[in-house]
Amino acid sequence: DGGITQSPKYLFRKEGQNVTLSCEQNLNHDAMYWYRQDPGQGLRLIYYSQIVNDFQKGDIAEGYSVSREKKESFPLTVTSAQKNPTAFYLCASSIGSRGPQETQYFGPGTRLLVL
Amino acid sequence: AQSVTQLDSQVPVFEEAPVELRCNYSSSVSVYLFWYVQYPNQGLQLLLKYLSGSTLVKGINGFEAEFNKSQTSFHLRKPSVHISDTAEYFCAAHPGGTSYGKLTFGQGTILTVHP
């Protein structure tokens, strides 16, 4: 079955630690996205990538980093510079060739908690 | 910048009753509008989208939405809800043009269907 997988489902971060969230898709999509979801605030875009080896900052990129070395994979690192990382993180992908109106498909999410 | 406002944070309703979830967006020359649904601890799933043409858009699970340009609204409706419709619903907008992939989401509306 085609889809987007995110791992782990739950992740715990200690003070000063960097953690990496995994996102893999087998939909053959060019574009991938990372969102942060906080209660009552909807989803906010962290980073997005339209093609391999290229990515752009979203609205709240500070304290986060990404890489896009393979079409299928778009890992997100939450660095120690992110002072309030507790949130639900969602990865999404889209075909990437039909413009801004194309549908984004979402993974099941990773919940990050700070110890 | 694009903004999306969902006017109700929570909507309780009884089973088989009609429901309307309200969404307003900031005006733009062109706009693409989306409704997504999120079941507890899951990713988002597209319900429907408005790109152009007919202002009444039909989606999955019996939902529909009406684009109203003069009122800058895109309200979601269902004539008869089921218990299984209990979820959080997000309205999202894209201004078109070259802002590739940058969806702006509303704050979300939690729909609770009571027996």
Side-chain angles (χ1 to χ4, degrees):
Chain A
D1 285 342
I4 301 175
T5 57
Q6 291 187 242
S7 61
K9 188 172 182 178
Y10 295 95
L11 186 58
F12 299 91
R13 193 190 92 162
K14 295 180 181 178
E15 200 73 36
Q17 187 181 41
N18 292 355
V19 292
T20 297
L21 285 62
S22 169
C23 176
E24 303 277 334
Q25 55 97 0
N26 61 3
L27 299 168
N28 200 32
H29 285 172
D30 282 317
M32 296 186 75
Y33 314 83
W34 274 106
Y35 293 92
R36 170 178 172 143
Q37 184 179 13
D38 296 281
Q41 295 191 47
L43 278 70
R44 292 179 289 168
L45 184 65
I46 304 172
Y47 270 96
Y48 65 102
S49 167
Q50 293 179 234
I51 200 165
V52 174
N53 293 323
D54 183 64
F55 48 83
Q56 307 294 328
K57 291 182 180 180
D59 300 318
I60 56 165
E62 186 173 350
Y64 300 97
S65 66
V66 294
S67 63
R68 186 83 188 279
E69 297 176 1
K70 298 188 297 181
K71 186 175 184 177
E72 311 80 46
S73 178
F74 192 40
L76 173 74
T77 296
V78 184
T79 74
S80 57
Q82 172 51 243
K83 297 306 179 188
N84 185 23
T86 296
F88 192 49
Y89 290 86
L90 288 160
C91 179
S93 71
S94 65
I95 291 174
S97 58
R98 297 181 184 173
Q101 72 272 29
E102 62 190 32
T103 299
Q104 293 186 19
Y105 297 86
F106 285 79
T110 291
R111 191 166 297 279
L112 177 60
L113 300 165
V114 176
L115 294 177
Chain B
Q2 184 74 248
S3 68
V4 175
T5 302
Q6 291 183 239
L7 298 166
D8 306 291
S9 59
Q10 297 192 51
V11 173
V13 65
F14 286 107
E15 194 173 18
E16 298 183 5
V19 70
E20 178 179 82
L21 306 184
R22 298 181 293 167
C23 173
N24 285 102
Y25 63 94
S26 59
S27 182
S28 181
V29 174
S30 64
V31 66
Y32 304 111
L33 296 162
F34 305 77
W35 274 102
Y36 282 86
V37 60
Q38 183 181 35
Y39 299 102
N41 294 310
Q42 295 186 26
L44 277 67
Q45 178 185 4
L46 181 71
L47 278 177
L48 49 81
K49 60 183 177 182
Y50 171 78
L51 304 180
S52 64
S54 173
T55 58
L56 183 63
V57 182
K58 293 190 182 296
I60 63 171
N61 301 341
F63 284 94
E64 62 182 32
E66 185 155 19
F67 171 65
N68 188 320
K69 189 173 183 178
S70 63
Q71 297 187 9
T72 61
S73 68
F74 190 54
H75 300 333
L76 181 71
R77 302 184 182 103
K78 187 169 183 178
S80 175
V81 294
H82 304 290
I83 297 286
S84 58
D85 292 323
T86 294
E88 189 162 15
Y89 292 78
F90 291 95
C91 182
H94 192 292
T98 58
S99 304
Y100 185 86
K102 296 190 72 175
L103 282 176
T104 298
F105 283 84
Q107 301 90 330
T109 297
I110 297 173
L111 173 65
T112 304
V113 181
H114 297 283

